[in-house]
Amino acid sequence: MNFTGKTAVVTGGSRGLGRAVCRKLAEHGANVVFSYAGNTAAAQEALAELERMGANVRAVQGNVADSAAVKALMDTAVKEFGRLDILVNNAGITRDGLVMLMKEEDFDAVIDTNLKGTFLCMKAASRIMLRQKYGRIVNLSSVVGLHGNAGQVNYAASKAGVIGMTKSLAKELASKGVTVNAVAPGFITTDMTDGLPEAAKSSLLSTIPMARLGAPEDVAEAVAFLAGDGAGYITGQVLGVDGGMGM
Ligand code: NDP
């Protein structure tokens, strides 16, 4: 894998999976522009870590569900590094609750960030990638988008929607040198899953054939593969990274 001379935008790159993706792409030579929502301390920490690795990196605060912020994010990549080769749509949130109790604003917030945010970023990046006749878009879906999960109708809808958008955009851009794929992680140890009660974690473990939660690096490897030149004949696919959970 060699990303030297390539520029990647990773949304939500300050923590968790996004941060591991930034590290992996930077390790293989990419210039990295990552976004975050509002946790400046985590973003500064990620920035410092990537700079220590010798990476060319920029951090941009902004909501992925806001089209002006998304434009500013993509503009940063082009202005600072001249290109935008890789987009990883990773920013995401959960607002769990059983359907009868779920507040309308919790449904909207999850759809806004996870689904509309991915749409806005794909739209802004595709314009640039089409001009370049080259691009790699990798979207973060989830095993929950494929199989559902009690207490997560909003999240499942957003992540199933991401798969539909991935396949549709893949068809739109297939002949233009731009691939669009998704990864569907299972349960990965990040801040998002840290809050789960211990009982929920152990019952989850029993559903994972590999009998362990995933690490952010497990997902980063798959994202980097799909973002690489070696995956040039792969588009519209959903790659499970779930220890066998989705079999
Ligand atoms: P984390 O909660 O650890 O990190 C989320 C990141 O997204 C942070 O950088 C956060 O910024 C950023 N973010 C959140 N909302 C926005 C927004 N509106 N605009 C811009 N950035 C935003 O999440 P994970 O690393 O666990 O998850 C990353 C992705 O992977 C998500 O899409 C998630 O759905 C998906 N996924 C995760 C799984 C898991 O088990 N962890 C399993 C399957 C899929 P800030 O720090 O400023 O808030």
Side-chain angles (χ1 to χ4, degrees):
M1 231 178 299
N2 186 357
F3 295 115
T4 307
K6 297 238 160 74
T7 301
V9 166
V10 180
T11 67
S14 56
R15 291 192 284 120
L17 303 188
R19 185 147 160 193
V21 168
C22 290
R23 262 199 310 269
K24 179 59 62 185
L25 297 178
E27 196 181 299
H28 292 281
N31 307 314
V32 174
V33 179
F34 73 81
S35 77
Y36 64 102
N39 184 339
T40 308
Q44 290 300 335
E45 205 184 278
L47 191 67
E49 183 188 5
L50 293 163
E51 281 175 346
R52 276 197 303 276
M53 291 171 61
N56 295 316
V57 56
R58 302 288 183 274
V60 179
Q61 189 272 327
N63 181 358
V64 287
D66 172 347
S67 56
V70 166
K71 183 176 182 306
L73 175 64
M74 305 304 163
D75 285 351
T76 300
V78 174
K79 203 170 96 214
E80 297 284 321
F81 302 116
R83 299 178 59 80
L84 170 53
D85 303 284
I86 299 160
L87 167 66
V88 182
N89 280 307
N90 164 83
I93 59 168
T94 51
R95 295 278 186 280
D96 298 350
L98 295 174
V99 76
M100 282 180 294
L101 303 173
M102 186 175 284
K103 295 192 185 113
E104 205 174 319
E105 63 255 35
D106 287 340
F107 185 87
D108 290 344
V110 168
I111 297 294
D112 246 27
T113 300
N114 301 5
L115 189 64
K116 184 180 164 191
T118 298
F119 160 70
L120 290 176
C121 291
M122 292 198 307
K123 178 174 165 153
S126 341
R127 286 180 200 279
I128 301 165
M129 290 174 173
L130 276 175
R131 274 203 306 273
Q132 292 172 175
K133 298 188 173 56
Y134 182 90
R136 296 276 183 269
I137 298 177
V138 184
N139 295 326
L140 269 289
S141 178
S142 166
V143 73
V144 172
L146 291 164
H147 302 287
N149 196 26
Q152 291 199 304
V153 290
N154 49 0
Y155 186 75
S158 73
K159 294 300 183 179
V162 163
I163 292 174
M165 292 200 302
T166 299
K167 290 174 186 277
S168 302
L169 187 63
K171 286 183 176 173
E172 287 184 24
L173 301 183
S175 63
K176 317 285 186 204
V178 181
T179 66
V180 190
N181 291 289
V183 292
F187 283 85
I188 313 295
T189 49
T190 68
D191 295 344
M192 190 178 266
T193 47
D194 268 1
L196 286 174
E198 281 310 314
K201 280 189 197 162
S202 45
S203 109
L204 268 171
L205 267 182
S206 66
T207 68
I208 304 173
M210 287 188 185
R212 68 166 176 93
L213 298 189
E217 292 68 27
D218 292 323
V219 179
E221 287 286 350
V223 171
F225 165 67
L226 291 170
D229 284 339
Y233 200 56
I234 300 174
T235 198
Q237 302 304 305
V238 183
L239 179 55
V241 186
D242 59 6
M245 226 182 152
M247 276 192 283

